[in-house]
Each structure stands twice: as C-alpha cells, then as structure tokens.
C-alpha cells in the first residue's frame, strides 16, 4: 500500500478511484501516566508518555484507513490528511482520511 | 505567609528547571537542523508534485511531540493574559514543539531524497475551557518521503 500526502503518485498512473477512506481512534493513557505528566508539567519539557500516545493514535488511524482501502481493492491512498479533536483532558482523537485509488505502472 | 513562601520557592525552582530545559532543547534543535540542512522539504505548491527521475520508494512519514509549559511560565502567562498582548512564554513552547516535530519527521526519513507536501497539525490534549488544565502543545508533522532510484 502506497500512502502519500500529494495528489498523484509520481511514476505511476491512477487507473481508478475507489472513494474516500478514513480511520479514526480515540486514545488515552492510564491514570498513573496522567499524574506523571502533571508532575512533569510543573518542571517543563517534553511529555514522553503523551508523545507515545500520539504515535500510537496516528499508527492506529492509518492502519484502520488502510484496512478500509484494502476492502475496496485499492493499492494506494493519495492526498492523506490528519485531523484531530479534543475529547477530554488526556485523550486525543486522531482522524486520518484520504482517497483510495488503484494505480498501475505506465507501459513503456 | 507559608503559602507565599512556598509559591515563591516553587516559582524560582521551576524558573530554573524550565529555562535550563528550554535552552538545552533549543541548542539540540539547532544542531539537528544544521545536520539536516541539505535535505529539501517542500510544503508550498507541492500538491501535484512530479519528477522525471525514477522513483524507488514513496512513504508517508510523520513526527509528533508533546511539549508542556512549566509552573513559572503558566504563572507569568496568566498575569500577562490579564493585560493582553504577546504571551512570550507560550510562543517559545509552540516554536519548540513545531521544530521538534518537523525534525523527528525528517530524521525518520533520512534515507529519502525529498519530503513533499509537509503539513503540520496541532492537537488539543488539554481542555480549553478548564482553567486548571495543563497548557501543552502537541504537534503532528507529516509529509511524503520520496526516494529516487540511483542513477547508473
């Protein structure tokens, strides 16, 4: 599966559109890590546990989007965007969406 | 009286740790940016990016980071918020977070020749309407990493 943030796939030709695909996830860290982050917030610096949370959320959203694209028999997703929203404190929603397409190598 | 002493101690302590960590981080960011200065990244006008070169690999790369303020910054910002104007303590946090996220993305794509159509997305982890919530800045930077095939 080729995933890009641009509208075309360089070196390939788009044969068919399969429609919009998306994947989303809402994730939170456990309470102990939240308390740890609260303490870290006094001192300043990076909140590693929340960074981890974002990484996991993004990967999960992308994998759900890919699963949906596979169902549509697409082999690439173009113009992928991420959107986020806040649900409650310490939780993050990451939403990934893009256009599933079927690409082929041009002849010759 | 005791409350006031604790507050002042806390402010002094967090001013120390906060500014130390921030200086160290900025130094680190600068070094890494210099190391990556030859790798081009494009965001402007790159939606329909094409090339004549043969392409080996196309991949989505992303980098994310969450940076929090410290007690001293929050205190200063809440005072400044009353009078309005620039909230410089938070400006530096946003700057650090964006640059760090972009750097992480670029470091993940070290093998690539170019990263096109880079987007930066911010995430709200804290509750805007709750004054007691932790001010923090979470950024996801993402783009398409493109590797050319080596010319013979």
């Amino acid at each position: 599966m080729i995933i890009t943030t641009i509208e075309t796939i360089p070196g390939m030709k788009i044969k068919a559109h399969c429609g919009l695909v998306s994947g989303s996830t809402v994730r939170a860290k456990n309470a102990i890590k939240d308390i740890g982050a609260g303490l870290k917030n006094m001192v300043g610096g990076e909140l590693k546990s929340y960074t981890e949370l974002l990484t996991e959320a993004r990967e999960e959203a992308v994998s759900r989007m890919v699963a949906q694209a596979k169902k549509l028999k697409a082999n690439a997703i173009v113009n992928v965007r991420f959107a986020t929203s806040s649900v409650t404190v310490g939780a993050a929603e990451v939403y990934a969406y893009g256009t599933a397409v079927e690409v082929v190598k041009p002849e010759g | 009286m005791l409350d006031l002493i604790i507050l002042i101690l806390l402010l002094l302590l967090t001013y120390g740790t906060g500014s130390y960590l921030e200086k160290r981080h900025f130094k680190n960011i600068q070094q890494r940016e210099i190391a990556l200065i030859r790798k081009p990244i494009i965001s402007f006008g790159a939606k329909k990016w094409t090339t004549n070169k043969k392409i080996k690999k196309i991949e989505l790369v992303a980098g994310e980071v969450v940076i929090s303020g410290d007690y001293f910054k929050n205190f200063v910002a809440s005072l400044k918020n009353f009078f309005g104007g620039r909230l410089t303590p938070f400006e530096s946090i946003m700057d650090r977070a964006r640059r760090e996220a972009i750097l992480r993305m670029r470091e993940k794509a070290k093998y690539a020749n170019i990263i096109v159509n880079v987007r930066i997305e911010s995430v709200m982890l804290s509750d805007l309407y709750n004054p007691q919530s932790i001010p923090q800045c979470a950024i996801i930077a993402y783009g398409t990493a493109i590797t050319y095939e080596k010319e013979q």
Side-chain angles (χ1 to χ4, degrees):
Chain A
M1 185 68 71
I2 306 167
I3 305 168
T4 70
T5 59
I6 46 182
E7 286 175 1
T8 54
I9 294 181
M12 301 271 226
K13 217 177 140 190
I14 293 176
K15 199 179 132 200
H17 277 256
C18 306
L20 185 79
V21 287
S22 61
S24 94
T25 177
V26 182
R27 289 184 83 103
K29 278 281 172 196
N30 61 41
I32 295 164
K33 286 205 167 152
D34 278 342
I35 293 167
L39 286 177
K40 190 80 203 281
N41 186 61
M42 294 285 265
V43 196
E46 188 190 336
L47 304 175
K48 287 224 170 69
S49 58
Y50 282 170
T51 306
E52 222 171 72
L53 170 91
L54 275 190
T55 313
E56 285 165 7
R58 177 180 55 78
E59 277 165 4
E60 176 100 36
V62 169
S63 72
R64 283 186 187 173
M65 181 178 68
V66 168
Q68 206 182 337
K70 271 181 185 159
K71 258 188 213 164
L72 297 170
K73 295 194 172 64
N75 60 359
I77 305 170
V78 293
N79 215 10
V80 171
R81 295 281 178 273
F82 288 106
T84 58
S85 52
S86 71
V87 184
T88 56
V89 181
E93 192 209 3
V94 177
Y95 179 65
Y97 59 100
T99 309
V101 290
E102 209 185 318
V103 290
V104 284
K105 279 227 156 113
E107 294 123 44
Chain B
M1 193 63 204
L2 189 69
D3 283 2
L4 197 69
I5 292 169
I6 288 173
L7 178 71
I8 290 169
L9 269 179
L10 206 59
L11 282 176
L12 281 174
L13 187 75
T14 53
Y15 173 69
T17 56
S19 53
Y20 169 70
L21 285 171
E22 185 162 285
K23 257 182 210 154
R24 205 176 62 173
H25 193 200
F26 266 129
K27 224 176 177 179
N28 183 318
I29 287 175
Q30 228 161 26
Q31 278 171 356
R32 283 154 69 204
E33 272 177 352
I34 289 166
L36 284 168
I37 208 156
R38 283 172 184 282
K39 279 275 159 68
I41 60 172
I42 297 181
S43 81
F44 171 73
K47 275 180 113 181
K48 288 196 171 155
W49 188 87
T50 49
T51 178
N52 295 327
K53 288 176 182 157
K54 276 200 170 165
I55 282 158
K56 201 170 128 197
K57 198 178 178 192
I58 303 176
E59 203 185 14
L60 181 80
V61 285
E64 51 274 290
V65 71
V66 183
I67 304 257
S68 84
D70 52 63
Y71 191 77
F72 179 77
K73 277 191 171 168
N74 298 349
F75 185 78
V76 172
S78 60
L79 284 183
K80 270 202 170 171
N81 204 351
F82 183 76
F83 297 105
R86 286 177 67 182
L87 296 182
T88 36
F90 287 159
E91 281 180 356
S92 71
I93 296 176
M94 302 302 276
D95 184 36
R96 270 163 73 196
R98 294 230 164 81
R99 282 163 79 179
E100 176 75 33
I102 291 173
L103 273 173
R104 282 190 186 173
M105 176 192 72
R106 295 174 84 179
E107 277 164 358
K108 268 184 208 165
K110 261 187 178 161
Y111 56 85
N113 294 80
I114 190 166
I115 303 175
V116 296
N117 208 12
V118 174
R119 304 271 154 153
I120 299 168
E121 174 78 32
S122 57
V123 188
M124 283 304 302
L125 280 173
S126 49
D127 191 352
L128 264 183
Y129 305 104
N130 179 3
Q132 254 132 37
S133 78
I134 308 163
Q136 56 201 196
C137 173
I139 302 285
I140 303 180
Y142 59 101
T144 308
I146 291 175
T147 320
Y148 302 137
E149 220 160 85
K150 272 192 188 131
E151 286 166 35
Q152 269 103 35

